Amino acid sequence: MSPNKPHSTFNNSTQFIEGWYWALPSKELKVGKVKAVTLLGRNLAIYRGISGQAIAIDAYCPHMGAHLAEGKVEGDGIRCFFHNWKYDAEGICVDIPSLEKPLSVCIKTWETAEQYGLIWVWVGKEKPDLLPFVPELEQVDCDYSLGIRFIKNCHPNVLLINAIDAHHFNTVHNLPLEIVFESQELNPNAITFSNTTKGGDNSRLINLIRPLYQNEVTYSMCYWYGSTGTVTLGPDFLHFYIVFALRMIEGGKTEGQTIIITPKRSGCLGWGINRGLLWLTQQVGNYFSKGDTQVFQTIKFDIKTPTKADRSILEFIQHVNRQKALTWETWDVVENVENSDRTYPPTSLVP
Ligand code: FES
Ligand SMILES: [Fe+2]
């Protein structure tokens, strides 16, 4: 059995998990502006109305199909460029210039939210679930900055498991640590893998932060909707937080945006410290991404011969396959998924 077979959601270029997906940086969308965004194969126009709220609407005007991102924002609605039909924030047609009363026409809108400097869109049939967050920072007021935006030649699921691929920390990143993860599902769409590592005396990175702690470093991942991963790393009194917000693009590849986060500290000094910490966190992130760059250009992921160290990866695959799947481009629910497909890999394969 292969995780690449069509009915498994994991590493599948034709389907993805119902959930929150990042669309664009908040600061790229000023009040009164509209942007064209292609998200999981579907074309949207995302605009910011006068109330400041970001509104995501299907791209094509129900009249003749003009792309609404060519149009103009008016109040909290949008007016199509072509024949000036206007749609409100719910996508209801409220004005057709040539008619006294608009026709009863509407266009689908999608829930949005803003978190960590990004606009997120709820891609799903049902009511939105929780927005991705760093578990330790759920109720914490934070400073954040956007890191790098990147494209990778592999599926977001495959990219994410890198962070729980225990063995490769030794072979690729040169961290002489023994890593054993414990997993816990926070809810059906979020799973954490946590570890308290020991050792690391020969590593540059560990030595860099060694003066700040005694012997232990926390390392914990939280995966949301199989596509956004939060990393928590560091000694008890100073945790670094990096979020990898990923989404699938054409051909099952990945477009990602990293977010660097630190809890708010008060006063000018706190502001200065946080700028330094955000910079330092970015360096930690760069250290890890650099080592893996080339392998993600060429990998054809298939886990045929798992070892004990791969257990977390198999758990993540199962977690992904248990979630509700939608179809690329149409965003329709994937039907006819047999139960056996949802439980790949079979428990017998898990060492
Ligand atoms: S295509 Fe939009 S108003 Fe005609
Ligand atoms: Fe890595």
Side-chain angles (χ1 to χ4, degrees):
M1 283 233 269
S2 152
N4 302 318
K5 69 198 178 89
H7 285 140
S8 165
T9 310
F10 180 84
N11 191 23
N12 186 329
S13 62
T14 66
Q15 62 193 55
F16 59 90
I17 295 165
E18 177 179 78
W20 284 102
Y21 290 87
W22 74 280
L24 74 163
S26 294
K27 64 172 192 276
E28 284 181 18
L29 195 67
K30 303 269 185 274
V31 169
K33 295 288 176 218
V34 56
K35 292 262 161 126
V37 174
T38 303
L39 189 59
L40 298 156
R42 191 169 177 121
N43 293 315
L44 305 176
I46 303 185
Y47 65 94
R48 197 182 290 285
I50 191 92
S51 65
Q53 218 214 306
I55 294 151
I57 190 164
D58 272 349
Y60 300 110
C61 178
H63 178 219
M64 275 194 208
H67 198 302
L68 290 175
E70 306 291 344
K72 255 204 167 117
V73 177
E74 263 186 36
D76 275 327
I78 189 153
R79 195 176 283 281
C80 179
F81 167 82
F82 214 3
H83 312 92
N84 295 163
W85 292 22
K86 184 181 172 182
Y87 303 91
D88 70 7
E90 270 79 55
I92 298 165
C93 183
V94 288
D95 185 38
I96 297 178
S98 56
L99 300 178
E100 244 168 57
K101 246 182 77 190
L103 303 172
S104 153
V105 175
C106 71
I107 179 164
K108 178 84 183 124
T109 57
W110 303 91
E111 295 261 358
T112 65
E114 302 197 42
Q115 165 102 311
Y116 302 145
L118 292 175
I119 296 171
W120 302 73
V121 174
W122 172 256
V123 181
K125 298 289 170 198
E126 281 158 29
K127 275 180 82 67
D129 222 309
L130 292 176
L131 263 174
F133 59 82
V134 181
E136 281 183 13
L137 302 178
E138 187 178 1
Q139 305 294 343
V140 181
D141 204 8
C142 291
D143 279 339
Y144 44 77
S145 68
L146 296 184
I148 49 166
R149 186 161 169 171
F150 56 87
I151 304 271
K152 296 276 183 191
N153 199 25
C154 68
H155 193 282
N157 295 155
V158 172
L159 198 57
L160 283 181
I161 54 176
N162 192 246
I164 48 164
D165 179 348
H167 195 188
H168 103 291
F169 283 110
N170 312 131
T171 54
V172 174
H173 301 298
N174 214 8
L175 293 183
L177 304 169
E178 202 205 321
I179 298 185
V180 181
F181 289 109
E182 256 178 41
S183 70
Q184 193 191 358
E185 274 192 347
L186 300 184
N187 62 52
N189 302 115
I191 188 167
T192 60
F193 291 88
S194 303
N195 172 71
T196 303
T197 53
K198 290 186 192 277
D201 293 330
N202 302 324
S203 148
R204 249 182 45 224
L205 173 72
I206 297 296
N207 282 326
L208 187 73
I209 57 174
R210 172 77 81 197
L212 304 172
Y213 71 101
Q214 290 297 308
N215 255 324
E216 291 190 343
V217 179
T218 292
Y219 178 66
S220 173
M221 285 299 303
C222 181
Y223 292 114
W224 293 86
Y225 307 105
S227 67
T228 292
T230 77
V231 185
T232 300
L233 172 72
D236 280 352
F237 69 93
L238 183 65
H239 281 178
F240 297 96
Y241 305 98
I242 308 174
V243 176
F244 292 85
L246 309 184
R247 63 187 184 206
M248 183 165 66
I249 54 172
E250 199 73 40
K253 297 179 184 181
T254 299
E255 182 167 16
Q257 170 71 61
T258 60
I259 311 162
I260 318 297
I261 306 174
T262 195
K264 260 202 174 29
R265 289 171 175 80
S266 57
C268 287
L269 183 63
W271 185 90
I273 289 173
N274 273 10
R275 298 284 103 33
L277 280 176
L278 291 173
W279 180 85
L280 192 60
T281 311
Q282 178 74 69
Q283 307 315 307
V284 174
N286 291 349
Y287 174 88
F288 282 103
S289 350
K290 231 169 56 201
D292 303 304
T293 305
Q294 184 52 30
V295 78
F296 290 123
Q297 283 300 112
T298 52
I299 192 169
K300 257 189 192 285
F301 185 88
D302 196 355
I303 187 159
K304 288 185 204 147
T305 36
T307 71
K308 211 168 139 219
D310 302 324
R311 166 178 270 275
S312 303
I313 295 175
L314 300 179
E315 281 175 3
F316 178 66
I317 295 174
Q318 288 172 336
H319 166 77
V320 166
N321 286 340
R322 278 195 297 270
Q323 294 174 68
K324 182 169 164 191
L326 304 182
T327 310
W328 171 262
E329 193 174 351
T330 64
W331 296 4
D332 289 333
V333 177
V334 175
E335 306 287 356
N336 304 323
V337 178
E338 298 154 33
N339 282 341
S340 59
D341 292 321
R342 289 268 163 148
T343 52
Y344 176 84
T347 358
S348 57
L349 244 186
V350 181

mmCIF file of all heavy atoms in Angstrom, residues 137 140-144 236-241 261-278 281:
data_model
loop_
_atom_site.group_PDB
_atom_site.id
_atom_site.type_symbol
_atom_site.label_atom_id
_atom_site.label_comp_id
_atom_site.label_asym_id
_atom_site.label_seq_id
_atom_site.Cartn_x
_atom_site.Cartn_y
_atom_site.Cartn_z
ATOM 1 N N LEU A 137 0.553 29.567 23.294
ATOM 2 C CA LEU A 137 0.274 30.995 23.148
ATOM 3 C C LEU A 137 -1.204 31.271 22.900
ATOM 4 O O LEU A 137 -1.569 32.349 22.433
ATOM 5 C CB LEU A 137 1.097 31.571 21.982
ATOM 6 C CG LEU A 137 2.608 31.417 22.100
ATOM 7 C CD1 LEU A 137 3.311 31.985 20.878
ATOM 8 C CD2 LEU A 137 3.128 32.119 23.364
ATOM 9 N N VAL A 140 -2.306 34.297 24.712
ATOM 10 C CA VAL A 140 -1.227 35.259 24.932
ATOM 11 C C VAL A 140 -1.195 36.293 23.814
ATOM 12 O O VAL A 140 -1.305 35.957 22.641
ATOM 13 C CB VAL A 140 0.131 34.495 24.997
ATOM 14 C CG1 VAL A 140 1.290 35.449 25.245
ATOM 15 C CG2 VAL A 140 0.079 33.413 26.054
ATOM 16 N N ASP A 141 -1.015 37.549 24.221
ATOM 17 C CA ASP A 141 -0.877 38.637 23.248
ATOM 18 C C ASP A 141 0.548 38.570 22.683
ATOM 19 O O ASP A 141 1.507 38.514 23.451
ATOM 20 C CB ASP A 141 -1.102 39.956 23.998
ATOM 21 C CG ASP A 141 -1.556 41.048 23.066
ATOM 22 O OD1 ASP A 141 -1.832 40.742 21.895
ATOM 23 O OD2 ASP A 141 -1.615 42.207 23.519
ATOM 24 N N CYS A 142 0.678 38.559 21.362
ATOM 25 C CA CYS A 142 1.995 38.283 20.780
ATOM 26 C C CYS A 142 2.480 39.351 19.808
ATOM 27 O O CYS A 142 1.690 40.051 19.201
ATOM 28 C CB CYS A 142 1.958 36.953 20.023
ATOM 29 S SG CYS A 142 1.793 35.558 21.100
ATOM 30 N N ASP A 143 3.798 39.450 19.677
ATOM 31 C CA ASP A 143 4.423 40.166 18.568
ATOM 32 C C ASP A 143 4.777 39.107 17.529
ATOM 33 O O ASP A 143 5.135 37.980 17.898
ATOM 34 C CB ASP A 143 5.723 40.854 19.020
ATOM 35 C CG ASP A 143 5.446 42.172 19.711
ATOM 36 O OD1 ASP A 143 4.351 42.731 19.501
ATOM 37 O OD2 ASP A 143 6.322 42.637 20.468
ATOM 38 N N TYR A 144 4.719 39.483 16.275
ATOM 39 C CA TYR A 144 5.083 38.505 15.245
ATOM 40 C C TYR A 144 5.618 39.234 14.037
ATOM 41 O O TYR A 144 5.409 40.436 13.861
ATOM 42 C CB TYR A 144 3.867 37.647 14.842
ATOM 43 C CG TYR A 144 2.616 38.445 14.655
ATOM 44 C CD1 TYR A 144 2.414 39.202 13.498
ATOM 45 C CD2 TYR A 144 1.644 38.459 15.647
ATOM 46 C CE1 TYR A 144 1.273 39.968 13.342
ATOM 47 C CE2 TYR A 144 0.503 39.228 15.492
ATOM 48 C CZ TYR A 144 0.317 39.969 14.341
ATOM 49 O OH TYR A 144 -0.811 40.734 14.190
ATOM 50 N N ASP A 236 13.226 26.208 29.069
ATOM 51 C CA ASP A 236 11.952 26.564 29.686
ATOM 52 C C ASP A 236 11.665 28.058 29.744
ATOM 53 O O ASP A 236 10.547 28.485 29.533
ATOM 54 C CB ASP A 236 11.872 25.984 31.100
ATOM 55 C CG ASP A 236 11.501 24.521 31.042
ATOM 56 O OD1 ASP A 236 11.166 24.056 29.927
ATOM 57 O OD2 ASP A 236 11.562 23.849 32.083
ATOM 58 N N PHE A 237 12.688 28.862 30.017
ATOM 59 C CA PHE A 237 12.392 30.289 30.213
ATOM 60 C C PHE A 237 12.451 31.102 28.921
ATOM 61 O O PHE A 237 12.156 32.276 28.921
ATOM 62 C CB PHE A 237 13.351 30.883 31.254
ATOM 63 C CG PHE A 237 14.773 30.965 30.763
ATOM 64 C CD1 PHE A 237 15.239 32.121 30.154
ATOM 65 C CD2 PHE A 237 15.622 29.887 30.900
ATOM 66 C CE1 PHE A 237 16.543 32.197 29.689
ATOM 67 C CE2 PHE A 237 16.919 29.953 30.432
ATOM 68 C CZ PHE A 237 17.381 31.106 29.836
ATOM 69 N N LEU A 238 12.825 30.451 27.812
ATOM 70 C CA LEU A 238 12.848 31.200 26.556
ATOM 71 C C LEU A 238 12.498 30.294 25.379
ATOM 72 O O LEU A 238 13.352 29.627 24.813
ATOM 73 C CB LEU A 238 14.231 31.823 26.317
ATOM 74 C CG LEU A 238 14.306 32.687 25.063
ATOM 75 C CD1 LEU A 238 13.413 33.912 25.165
ATOM 76 C CD2 LEU A 238 15.740 33.118 24.776
ATOM 77 N N HIS A 239 11.234 30.258 25.057
ATOM 78 C CA HIS A 239 10.800 29.431 23.927
ATOM 79 C C HIS A 239 10.761 30.255 22.643
ATOM 80 O O HIS A 239 10.319 31.391 22.644
ATOM 81 C CB HIS A 239 9.411 28.848 24.210
ATOM 82 C CG HIS A 239 9.472 27.669 25.129
ATOM 83 N ND1 HIS A 239 8.347 27.002 25.553
ATOM 84 C CD2 HIS A 239 10.526 27.029 25.697
ATOM 85 C CE1 HIS A 239 8.709 25.999 26.339
ATOM 86 N NE2 HIS A 239 10.017 25.999 26.455
ATOM 87 N N PHE A 240 11.251 29.639 21.577
ATOM 88 C CA PHE A 240 11.167 30.250 20.255
ATOM 89 C C PHE A 240 9.971 29.634 19.538
ATOM 90 O O PHE A 240 9.735 28.427 19.655
ATOM 91 C CB PHE A 240 12.429 29.945 19.434
ATOM 92 C CG PHE A 240 13.682 30.525 20.031
ATOM 93 C CD1 PHE A 240 14.510 29.763 20.846
ATOM 94 C CD2 PHE A 240 14.045 31.833 19.762
ATOM 95 C CE1 PHE A 240 15.662 30.297 21.390
ATOM 96 C CE2 PHE A 240 15.201 32.381 20.309
ATOM 97 C CZ PHE A 240 16.008 31.609 21.126
ATOM 98 N N TYR A 241 9.252 30.474 18.791
ATOM 99 C CA TYR A 241 8.053 29.972 18.095
ATOM 100 C C TYR A 241 8.123 30.289 16.609
ATOM 101 O O TYR A 241 8.303 31.450 16.233
ATOM 102 C CB TYR A 241 6.784 30.614 18.664
ATOM 103 C CG TYR A 241 6.639 30.443 20.157
ATOM 104 C CD1 TYR A 241 7.021 31.462 21.027
ATOM 105 C CD2 TYR A 241 6.129 29.263 20.705
ATOM 106 C CE1 TYR A 241 6.899 31.321 22.401
ATOM 107 C CE2 TYR A 241 5.994 29.114 22.071
ATOM 108 C CZ TYR A 241 6.391 30.148 22.924
ATOM 109 O OH TYR A 241 6.265 30.000 24.280
ATOM 110 N N ILE A 261 7.103 34.271 16.003
ATOM 111 C CA ILE A 261 6.236 34.810 17.060
ATOM 112 C C ILE A 261 6.980 34.875 18.387
ATOM 113 O O ILE A 261 7.819 34.008 18.684
ATOM 114 C CB ILE A 261 5.003 33.894 17.246
ATOM 115 C CG1 ILE A 261 4.292 33.703 15.901
ATOM 116 C CG2 ILE A 261 4.028 34.479 18.260
ATOM 117 C CD1 ILE A 261 3.161 32.723 15.951
ATOM 118 N N THR A 262 6.673 35.879 19.172
ATOM 119 C CA THR A 262 7.145 35.927 20.553
ATOM 120 C C THR A 262 6.104 36.662 21.392
ATOM 121 O O THR A 262 5.444 37.573 20.886
ATOM 122 C CB THR A 262 8.555 36.570 20.640
ATOM 123 O OG1 THR A 262 9.123 36.294 21.908
ATOM 124 C CG2 THR A 262 8.531 38.056 20.394
ATOM 125 N N PRO A 263 5.931 36.239 22.664
ATOM 126 C CA PRO A 263 4.928 36.927 23.488
ATOM 127 C C PRO A 263 5.288 38.404 23.647
ATOM 128 O O PRO A 263 6.463 38.745 23.721
ATOM 129 C CB PRO A 263 5.019 36.213 24.841
ATOM 130 C CG PRO A 263 5.660 34.902 24.540
ATOM 131 C CD PRO A 263 6.570 35.116 23.379
ATOM 132 N N LYS A 264 4.286 39.276 23.691
ATOM 133 C CA LYS A 264 4.526 40.718 23.847
ATOM 134 C C LYS A 264 5.249 40.989 25.167
ATOM 135 O O LYS A 264 4.968 40.356 26.171
ATOM 136 C CB LYS A 264 3.176 41.444 23.868
ATOM 137 C CG LYS A 264 2.820 42.072 22.547
ATOM 138 C CD LYS A 264 1.810 43.191 22.735
ATOM 139 C CE LYS A 264 1.516 43.966 21.489
ATOM 140 N NZ LYS A 264 1.608 43.401 20.212
ATOM 141 N N ARG A 265 6.224 41.915 25.117
ATOM 142 C CA ARG A 265 6.880 42.376 26.343
ATOM 143 C C ARG A 265 6.623 43.880 26.443
ATOM 144 O O ARG A 265 6.626 44.574 25.434
ATOM 145 C CB ARG A 265 8.376 42.065 26.290
ATOM 146 C CG ARG A 265 8.659 40.577 26.410
ATOM 147 C CD ARG A 265 10.115 40.222 26.151
ATOM 148 N NE ARG A 265 10.351 38.795 26.403
ATOM 149 C CZ ARG A 265 10.051 37.818 25.542
ATOM 150 N NH1 ARG A 265 9.509 38.100 24.357
ATOM 151 N NH2 ARG A 265 10.285 36.559 25.844
ATOM 152 N N SER A 266 6.462 44.371 27.669
ATOM 153 C CA SER A 266 5.994 45.762 27.797
ATOM 154 C C SER A 266 7.123 46.782 27.690
ATOM 155 O O SER A 266 8.295 46.458 27.913
ATOM 156 C CB SER A 266 5.236 45.928 29.113
ATOM 157 O OG SER A 266 6.092 45.559 30.153
ATOM 158 N N GLY A 267 6.761 47.980 27.349
ATOM 159 C CA GLY A 267 7.690 49.114 27.310
ATOM 160 C C GLY A 267 8.604 49.108 26.102
ATOM 161 O O GLY A 267 8.577 48.194 25.274
ATOM 162 N N CYS A 268 9.429 50.168 26.036
ATOM 163 C CA CYS A 268 10.367 50.308 24.910
ATOM 164 C C CYS A 268 11.391 49.188 24.934
ATOM 165 O O CYS A 268 11.771 48.643 23.899
ATOM 166 C CB CYS A 268 11.113 51.636 24.996
ATOM 167 S SG CYS A 268 10.072 53.010 24.575
ATOM 168 N N LEU A 269 11.836 48.862 26.153
ATOM 169 C CA LEU A 269 12.839 47.811 26.284
ATOM 170 C C LEU A 269 12.265 46.485 25.758
ATOM 171 O O LEU A 269 12.904 45.772 24.991
ATOM 172 C CB LEU A 269 13.264 47.673 27.753
ATOM 173 C CG LEU A 269 14.358 46.646 28.018
ATOM 174 C CD1 LEU A 269 15.655 47.040 27.307
ATOM 175 C CD2 LEU A 269 14.606 46.482 29.517
ATOM 176 N N GLY A 270 11.009 46.225 26.169
ATOM 177 C CA GLY A 270 10.337 45.002 25.729
ATOM 178 C C GLY A 270 10.223 44.959 24.213
ATOM 179 O O GLY A 270 10.448 43.915 23.584
ATOM 180 N N TRP A 271 9.921 46.103 23.635
ATOM 181 C CA TRP A 271 9.793 46.192 22.171
ATOM 182 C C TRP A 271 11.138 45.836 21.526
ATOM 183 O O TRP A 271 11.209 45.060 20.579
ATOM 184 C CB TRP A 271 9.354 47.608 21.782
ATOM 185 C CG TRP A 271 9.082 47.759 20.316
ATOM 186 C CD1 TRP A 271 7.885 47.557 19.693
ATOM 187 C CD2 TRP A 271 10.013 48.135 19.292
ATOM 188 N NE1 TRP A 271 8.010 47.776 18.347
ATOM 189 C CE2 TRP A 271 9.311 48.134 18.070
ATOM 190 C CE3 TRP A 271 11.368 48.463 19.293
ATOM 191 C CZ2 TRP A 271 9.919 48.452 16.851
ATOM 192 C CZ3 TRP A 271 11.981 48.783 18.086
ATOM 193 C CH2 TRP A 271 11.258 48.777 16.878
ATOM 194 N N GLY A 272 12.212 46.436 22.085
ATOM 195 C CA GLY A 272 13.557 46.184 21.544
ATOM 196 C C GLY A 272 13.960 44.718 21.696
ATOM 197 O O GLY A 272 14.460 44.098 20.754
ATOM 198 N N ILE A 273 13.709 44.174 22.871
ATOM 199 C CA ILE A 273 14.047 42.759 23.122
ATOM 200 C C ILE A 273 13.317 41.873 22.099
ATOM 201 O O ILE A 273 13.887 40.955 21.517
ATOM 202 C CB ILE A 273 13.663 42.344 24.566
ATOM 203 C CG1 ILE A 273 14.617 43.032 25.564
ATOM 204 C CG2 ILE A 273 13.701 40.831 24.739
ATOM 205 C CD1 ILE A 273 14.238 42.847 27.019
ATOM 206 N N ASN A 274 12.045 42.191 21.875
ATOM 207 C CA ASN A 274 11.263 41.367 20.950
ATOM 208 C C ASN A 274 11.782 41.443 19.519
ATOM 209 O O ASN A 274 11.776 40.449 18.796
ATOM 210 C CB ASN A 274 9.787 41.747 21.019
ATOM 211 C CG ASN A 274 9.098 40.972 22.112
ATOM 212 O OD1 ASN A 274 9.766 40.308 22.908
ATOM 213 N ND2 ASN A 274 7.785 41.026 22.169
ATOM 214 N N ARG A 275 12.258 42.622 19.092
ATOM 215 C CA ARG A 275 12.835 42.706 17.736
ATOM 216 C C ARG A 275 14.035 41.764 17.643
ATOM 217 O O ARG A 275 14.217 41.038 16.689
ATOM 218 C CB ARG A 275 13.271 44.148 17.407
ATOM 219 C CG ARG A 275 12.121 45.145 17.398
ATOM 220 C CD ARG A 275 11.265 45.083 16.193
ATOM 221 N NE ARG A 275 9.976 44.492 16.075
ATOM 222 C CZ ARG A 275 8.965 44.355 16.908
ATOM 223 N NH1 ARG A 275 9.047 44.682 18.126
ATOM 224 N NH2 ARG A 275 7.840 43.826 16.550
ATOM 225 N N GLY A 276 14.868 41.790 18.708
ATOM 226 C CA GLY A 276 16.046 40.910 18.743
ATOM 227 C C GLY A 276 15.643 39.442 18.733
ATOM 228 O O GLY A 276 16.213 38.624 18.005
ATOM 229 N N LEU A 277 14.632 39.108 19.547
ATOM 230 C CA LEU A 277 14.198 37.708 19.645
ATOM 231 C C LEU A 277 13.603 37.218 18.324
ATOM 232 O O LEU A 277 13.850 36.081 17.899
ATOM 233 C CB LEU A 277 13.160 37.547 20.752
ATOM 234 C CG LEU A 277 13.727 37.464 22.167
ATOM 235 C CD1 LEU A 277 12.587 37.404 23.171
ATOM 236 C CD2 LEU A 277 14.630 36.237 22.307
ATOM 237 N N LEU A 278 12.833 38.090 17.663
ATOM 238 C CA LEU A 278 12.237 37.693 16.382
ATOM 239 C C LEU A 278 13.349 37.435 15.371
ATOM 240 O O LEU A 278 13.309 36.466 14.605
ATOM 241 C CB LEU A 278 11.270 38.765 15.863
ATOM 242 C CG LEU A 278 9.971 38.935 16.672
ATOM 243 C CD1 LEU A 278 9.167 40.125 16.170
ATOM 244 C CD2 LEU A 278 9.110 37.674 16.633
ATOM 245 N N THR A 281 15.025 34.122 16.285
ATOM 246 C CA THR A 281 14.155 32.989 15.936
ATOM 247 C C THR A 281 14.231 32.706 14.434
ATOM 248 O O THR A 281 14.262 31.547 14.006
ATOM 249 C CB THR A 281 12.683 33.290 16.321
ATOM 250 O OG1 THR A 281 12.651 33.767 17.650
ATOM 251 C CG2 THR A 281 11.835 32.049 16.198
#
